[in-house]
Amino acid sequence: MKDVVLEKVRRALRGRPAIDHPGPMPDDAGARAGKGTDSPTEALADLVEAFRLRFQANGGEVVRVGVSEVPAWLEGFSCAFASCAVGRLVPPRLTPPIPEAEPEVAHLGVSLARCAVAGSGTVILDARDGRRAQLLPRTHLVWVRATEVVGTLGEGLHRLRGGAPSALGLHSGPSKSADIGQVLVTGVHGPGRVLVAIVDDESDPSP
Amino acid sequence: MAGGSLEYGRKSRDLLEGQPEVRESVTGAALSFDGRRSAAYAEVDVEAWRRWAEGVKSHLLSELDRHLERAEANLLRNGAVVHWAETDGDARRILAELADRYGSRLVVKGKSMLSEELGLNGVLEDRGVRVFETDLGEYILQLLEEPPSHIVGPAIHRSLRDVQRLFHELHGTPLHATPEALAEAARAVLREVFLEADMGISGGNFLVAETGTLALIENEGNIRLTTSLPPVHVAFVGIEKLLPRWDDLAGFLQLTSRAATGQPLGSYVSLIHGPRRPDEVDGPEAVHVVLVDNGRSAVLADPEAWEVLRCVRCGACANACPVYRQTGGHPYGHVYSGPIGAVLTPGLVGLEQTHPLPFASTLCGACAEVCPVRIPIPRLLLMWRRRAVAGGLTDRTTARALGMYATLAERPGLFRAATRLAGVALPLARRLPLLRGWGVGRALPRPQGRSRWSREGAE
C-alpha cells in the first residue's frame, strides 16, 4: 500500500513546479518575552520574570529559589502532601522529604524540566524523567534551572533537537477544559495545579 | 455519512426551528473562540507568520512524496512501526489487525477528526472491544451517541444543563452539579479507564519528516495519557499533516494554538518519536503510525483544490463564519464542517454527494482573513459552485430564474417595463419556489413604477 499511495502522490504532482521552503520563521519577536539588554545577569532576570508572568497568566504558579534556600523551601512546601512520585532526572537535593509512592496514588509529582520557555510560559519535560509522575498526581512540582530559561519556543526546541528520549512533553500550565457549557475547569485529566520552581545553581555542577 | 450533506438545507431548517438552543450555544462558543483568536493574533506579527506558514505547507505539498519517505525512514529509525492506508477500509483493516495482534480489550482515544472520518470506533466495537473517548467534549458526545459539531470544541452545541442531566442519569451526580463537579466525575471514570487500557489511539497535528516526530496539541492532558499509559499507541495521520523540518514545529505549534483557542500554546504538547527507550520507566512498548490517504492524493492532483490540504484543523474559519454559527456542524453531514468542510469535503468525497456545501456561505470572506495558512476559501467555494452548476448538480429552476434576471438586467428597456409590472407580479412571484424561502420573514419591496432618479432628478 505504501507504493500505491506514493505513486498516487507522485502522479498528482507531475508537472507541478516545486515550491521552495521559505526558511526560518520570521523573528518571533511577538512571541519573545523579555526586553533587550546587554547584561547577561539582567537578561536572565528578565527572562525569569517574563516566564513567571506568562506561566501565571496560564494558570500556573512560579517561585524562584536560591540554591541555599532549597531544603527549607522544599520542606515547607511538601509538608502539605502525604506522598510524592519523583522523576528519575530529579537529583536528591531537589527531592521532597516526604514518603515516595507510585504516581497512580501519589499526591504530588516532582519533575526536572530540560528547559523553560518564557515567551509561551512552557516547561519542556523529558520522557526519561518518567511520564506518569508528570501527569497522574493532582499537583505537579517542576524544577528548572535558571540557566535553562530561554526566550522563545524556537530556541527551546532547537536546544533539544536530535535528543534521545522517546518523547518530550511541553506543559504550559494546569490541565484545563471548557467543554462543559464553555465554563473553564482545571485538573481534567492532568494535574490541576502546577508549580514551577526556578532554582539558581551557579555553583552547582549538574547531578 | 457522506450522503447526509445533500440534506444540508432541510437539516439546517429543522435544527433552527426545532432546536433553537443549539444556535445560541454554538454562536456563544464561536464568538468566544473568535474573540480570543483575534486578541492572540494581535499580539504577534500574524501576517508574517501566516505567510511563512502558507509557504512551509505549500512547499511540503509540492514535494510530499519525498517528505513522506523521509518521515517513514525516521520513524522506523526511532523504533516506531509505519503503516500506509490508501482508503478508509485499509485503515480499519490495519486497526483490526493490530487489535487482534495485541489482544486489545479496552481502548482509550484522544480527539481525532481523522478517526471519525475513518470510522475507527466501529471496527473495535464490532470486535467487542470497549472504546472510551477521553477528551471531555468527545466523552460527553459518546455518552449522547452524537457526532462532533466543531473541530476544536466538539460538544459546543450542548449546554451545561444538557451535561448536568446526562451525568445525573449516567454517573449519579446531582442534577444541579457545578461544571467542576461534573468534570471531577468524568475524571474519576476516565482515570480508571486510562490505567487499565491496553491500547491508546490518537490522531496527529503534525508529523516532522526530518526527525520522525509526531506532535499533538491539547489542553486536558488526555492525549499525553493516551499516548503514555497503554502499552500500545496507534496514531492515525493524514498524509498532508507533515512538516518538513524540526525547526518548523515552534511556529506551527504556536500559530495553530493562537488560531484555535487564542492561547500562545496549548496546555500540553506531546512530541513523540517512538516507543519507550531502555532507560525509561514508562511509555508504550510499541508505537504504530498509520499514514492515511483516503482521497487526499486526489485533492492534491486538483490544480485548484490542492490548497485546502494546508489546513491545520484549527477551526478558526468555523468560529468566524456567520453561517456556521447558526447551526453548528451537524447539518453539513460530514466530519469536517464550516468553511473548511465546505471546500474539503467535495474534494475528498465528490461533488455529487456534497454539492449543497459550497452554497452554505454568504461569501463574506471572514474565513480567509483568519485562516493561519491562508487557504483562499471564498475562491474555492466559487470554484466548487461553478463545477456543481457545470455538472448539472444544482437546481435548474434557480439557474433559469437567475438567467432570466440576467437577461432583464442587460436590457434597460425591458428592465423598466418589468419593474412596472413588478407591482402586480411580485405578490404572485412570492409563491414560486425561488422566492418562497426568501419571502418568509421579509417584506418584498414595492416598486414605485418610475425610477427614483427620474422622480427626484439626478444631481
Side-chain angles (χ1 to χ4, degrees):
Chain A
M1 256 180 300
K2 167 182 172 180
D3 297 327
V4 174
V5 174
L6 282 176
E7 183 50 34
K8 282 172 119 169
V9 171
R10 284 185 198 116
R11 243 184 296 135
L13 294 174
R14 206 162 287 157
R16 290 267 190 85
I19 299 172
D20 288 336
H21 190 291
M25 187 173 68
D27 173 29
D28 49 357
R32 173 184 299 278
K35 313 151 210 132
T37 169
D38 284 333
S39 151
T41 330
E42 261 180 47
L44 183 60
D46 266 351
L47 279 179
V48 170
E49 179 59 15
F51 173 83
R52 188 179 67 79
L53 290 171
R54 183 60 95 172
F55 198 73
Q56 283 175 345
N58 293 347
E61 300 164 52
V62 182
V63 295
R64 191 161 182 185
V65 186
V67 83
S68 55
E69 300 164 337
V70 167
W73 181 85
L74 205 40
E75 186 165 335
F77 173 75
S78 57
C79 67
F81 301 93
S83 59
C84 65
V86 183
R88 286 296 193 76
L89 300 179
V90 181
R93 65 187 177 87
L94 297 181
T95 299
I98 59 177
E100 285 191 35
E102 287 299 299
E104 286 75 4
V105 297
H107 295 91
L108 172 69
V110 186
S111 306
L112 178 70
R114 294 287 302 276
C115 69
V117 178
S120 52
T122 306
V123 290
I124 303 187
L125 300 166
D126 191 304
R128 287 172 295 190
D129 189 61
R131 305 190 207 189
R132 279 145 56 241
Q134 298 163 2
L135 296 167
L136 294 178
R138 288 186 188 262
T139 302
H140 190 197
L141 169 63
V142 182
W143 290 105
V144 64
R145 298 192 180 87
T147 47
E148 301 285 350
V149 181
V150 299
T152 68
L153 186 60
E155 286 171 56
L157 288 179
H158 196 74
R159 282 189 181 200
L160 298 176
R161 70 174 291 145
S166 63
L168 294 167
L170 279 54
H171 292 207
S172 302
S175 149
K176 22 171 107 132
S177 171
D179 279 336
I180 298 181
Q182 295 300 300
V183 176
L184 189 69
V185 298
T186 56
V188 185
H189 301 269
R193 183 181 174 203
V194 192
L195 172 64
V196 174
I198 302 177
V199 61
D200 303 307
D201 62 348
E202 307 88 353
S203 54
D204 192 33
S206 357
Chain B
M1 228 229 238
S5 304
L6 293 172
E7 298 286 293
Y8 173 81
R10 183 189 59 78
K11 287 200 246 185
S12 310
R13 270 196 304 279
D14 289 350
L15 191 61
L16 287 168
E17 285 164 20
Q19 292 177 263
E21 65 280 5
V22 170
R23 176 196 224 167
E24 217 182 293
S25 295
V26 175
T27 296
L31 288 176
S32 167
F33 279 130
D34 191 57
R36 276 183 250 144
R37 175 212 50 80
S38 176
Y41 270 17
E43 286 175 356
V44 297
D45 185 358
V46 76
E47 289 314 306
W49 278 36
R50 292 173 73 214
R51 283 182 196 279
W52 171 83
E54 176 191 1
V56 174
K57 278 289 185 173
S58 293
H59 157 75
L60 167 85
L61 292 168
S62 79
E63 298 188 30
L64 186 59
D65 52 326
R66 184 169 74 82
H67 290 300
L68 282 167
E69 289 189 290
R70 280 178 88 208
E72 181 189 54
N74 286 307
L75 281 168
L76 292 175
R77 200 192 48 173
N78 294 340
V81 181
V82 179
H83 310 259
W84 297 72
E86 188 198 343
T87 65
D88 51 356
D90 292 335
R92 286 194 293 270
R93 202 176 20 85
I94 290 166
L95 180 59
E97 280 167 10
L98 289 172
D100 288 344
R101 186 195 312 182
Y102 291 108
S104 314
R105 304 310 307 156
L106 179 62
V107 171
V108 285
K109 280 186 69 209
K111 181 172 64 194
S112 160
M113 303 302 285
L114 181 59
S115 74
E116 293 275 336
E117 181 190 328
L118 299 172
L120 296 181
N121 288 18
V123 171
L124 298 168
E125 282 151 10
D126 286 348
R127 308 179 119 55
V129 180
R130 292 173 63 211
V131 183
F132 278 83
E133 294 288 346
T134 61
D135 171 272
L136 196 49
E138 292 279 4
Y139 174 66
I140 290 167
L141 292 181
Q142 186 177 36
L143 295 176
L144 291 167
E145 294 178 353
E146 280 180 9
S149 77
H150 185 285
I151 287 175
V152 172
I156 59 174
H157 61 293
R158 286 292 181 172
S159 66
L160 173 59
R161 277 195 45 224
D162 289 332
V163 182
Q164 282 168 332
R165 262 182 266 140
L166 176 72
F167 277 32
H168 176 65
E169 263 179 55
L170 292 172
H171 295 325
T173 47
L175 200 49
H176 297 290
T178 60
E180 289 79 8
L182 296 169
E184 184 61 37
R187 179 187 189 273
V189 170
L190 289 170
R191 180 55 63 96
E192 285 307 307
V193 174
F194 275 125
L195 294 175
E196 305 232 353
D198 37 42
M199 178 187 279
I201 296 178
S202 77
N205 289 102
F206 306 106
L207 175 59
V208 180
E210 186 186 12
T211 53
T213 308
L214 182 70
L216 292 148
I217 312 174
E218 55 161 332
N219 278 306
E220 294 177 20
N222 61 301
I223 296 184
R224 282 228 68 207
L225 289 172
T226 296
T227 59
S228 298
L229 295 184
V232 180
H233 169 208
V234 185
F236 290 84
V237 185
I239 54 175
E240 83 283 25
K241 292 303 215 41
L242 268 57
L243 288 177
R245 306 177 183 172
W246 175 260
D247 287 339
D248 295 331
L249 260 180
F252 273 88
L253 292 174
Q254 293 175 101
L255 186 58
T256 305
S257 297
R258 285 178 186 265
T261 55
Q263 297 167 286
L265 195 59
S267 295
Y268 298 101
V269 178
S270 305
L271 298 180
I272 296 167
H273 298 116
R276 70 197 273 181
R277 309 270 162 109
D279 59 345
E280 292 173 6
V281 295
D282 47 31
E285 278 140 30
V287 172
H288 293 257
V289 177
V290 185
L291 299 169
V292 179
D293 181 348
N294 201 31
R296 286 148 176 77
S297 57
V299 177
L300 184 62
D302 189 307
E304 290 176 279
W306 71 270
E307 294 194 76
V308 311
L309 295 176
R310 293 201 291 268
C311 178
V312 295
R313 306 285 192 268
C314 66
C317 57
N319 295 330
C321 178
V323 175
Y324 168 86
R325 72 174 61 133
Q326 306 304 324
T327 61
H330 288 167
Y332 292 76
H334 196 262
V335 169
Y336 307 108
S337 57
I340 190 63
V343 295
L344 173 61
T345 313
L348 289 179
V349 169
L351 207 42
E352 297 75 23
Q353 294 294 315
T354 58
H355 60 84
L357 295 187
F359 292 91
S361 165
T362 63
L363 298 175
C364 72
C367 51
E369 282 177 23
V370 304
C371 175
V373 287
R374 290 165 51 95
I375 299 172
I377 299 177
R379 170 154 56 84
L380 295 172
L381 288 166
L382 286 169
M383 175 205 85
W384 287 120
R385 290 185 186 191
R386 267 197 300 276
R387 294 187 190 182
V389 173
L393 295 170
T394 53
D395 171 40
R396 296 259 189 238
T397 317
T398 310
R400 261 186 249 126
L402 287 170
M404 280 198 309
Y405 180 80
T407 308
L408 285 179
E410 288 164 358
R411 293 163 176 74
L414 272 182
F415 196 88
R416 273 197 297 274
T419 51
R420 268 180 240 128
L421 282 175
V424 176
L426 269 179
L428 295 172
R430 282 185 91 101
R431 292 158 201 271
L432 286 177
L434 174 61
L435 287 181
R436 203 163 32 207
W438 190 257
V440 171
R442 280 187 188 81
L444 287 177
R446 258 177 275 123
Q448 307 285 308
R450 277 172 66 201
S451 84
R452 194 169 148 197
W453 290 117
S454 67
R455 272 184 286 120
E456 294 173 6
E459 302 229 334

